[in-house]
């Protein structure tokens, strides 16, 4: 039975207190892929008025995890790295694309890109996730 990924994962984000504080909005989702956005707001900024690096990492980690879990598994982060290429400033939203580049029996590899309103690349990130167990109904 195919489930409604967007509805399910919108609920997952909403029910995750930390992710919900960021205001992550899933725009598109399919197996192995998620595209989301976050509105730049004062509470998420650093002292310079840019989105805080911890916020950017958290968005990347959450969306990479969701992309990985679309194969029907509960997952947990094994490792993650982020490259801060440009500051997230002068933008209303940041956009996060996470794509599974290798889905395995136990480990998934996910690549993430974060851009601004104009499509300017701000960050790249790479994560690995461990597949814990199959989700019910997946």
């Amino acid at each position: 039975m195919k489930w409604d990924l967007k509805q399910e994962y919108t609920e997952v984000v909403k029910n995750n207190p930390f992710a919900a504080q960021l205001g992550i909005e899933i725009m598109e989702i399919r197996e192995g892929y998620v595209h989301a956005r976050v509105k730049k707001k004062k509470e998420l900024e650093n002292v310079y008025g840019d989105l805080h690096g911890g916020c950017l990492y958290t968005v990347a980690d959450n969306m990479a995890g969701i992309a990985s879990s679309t194969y029907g598994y509960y997952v947990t982060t094994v490792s993650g790295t982020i490259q801060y290429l440009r500051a997230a400033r002068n933008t209303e939203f940041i956009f996060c694309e996470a794509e599974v580049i290798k889905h395995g029996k136990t480990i998934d590899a996910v690549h993430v890109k974060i851009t601004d309103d104009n499509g300017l690349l701000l960050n790249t990130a790479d994560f690995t996730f461990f597949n814990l167990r199959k989700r019910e109904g997946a």
Side-chain angles (χ1 to χ4, degrees), residues 44-74:
L44 303 178
E45 292 178 354
N46 62 23
V47 68
Y48 306 112
D50 306 325
L51 275 179
H52 192 283
C55 171
L56 294 162
Y57 186 92
T58 300
V59 171
D61 181 39
N62 273 264
M63 293 305 97
I66 285 178
S68 178
S69 71
T70 60
Y71 290 94
Y73 289 87
Y74 292 104

Side-chain angles (χ1 to χ4, degrees), residues 87-121:
R89 66 171 62 123
N90 302 322
T91 190
E92 183 178 2
F93 291 93
I94 57 144
F95 298 88
C96 179
E97 281 186 280
E99 185 168 11
V100 175
I101 56 175
K102 196 254 182 213
H103 172 61
K105 283 184 185 178
T106 56
I107 297 287
D108 289 348
V110 185
H111 182 69
V112 177
K113 294 188 299 186
I114 296 177
T115 58
D116 69 5
D117 288 334
N118 296 311
L120 182 66
L121 184 63

Side-chain angles (χ1 to χ4, degrees), residues 1-29:
M1 179 172 123
K2 194 71 172 172
W3 66 99
D4 183 342
L5 289 176
K6 187 169 183 182
Q7 179 181 348
E8 178 180 346
Y9 285 104
T10 296
E11 287 298 312
V12 167
V13 171
K14 189 170 82 174
N15 292 326
N16 176 335
F18 191 54
Q21 288 295 315
L22 300 178
I24 298 170
E25 177 189 354
I26 294 175
M27 301 175 67
E28 180 186 350
I29 187 167

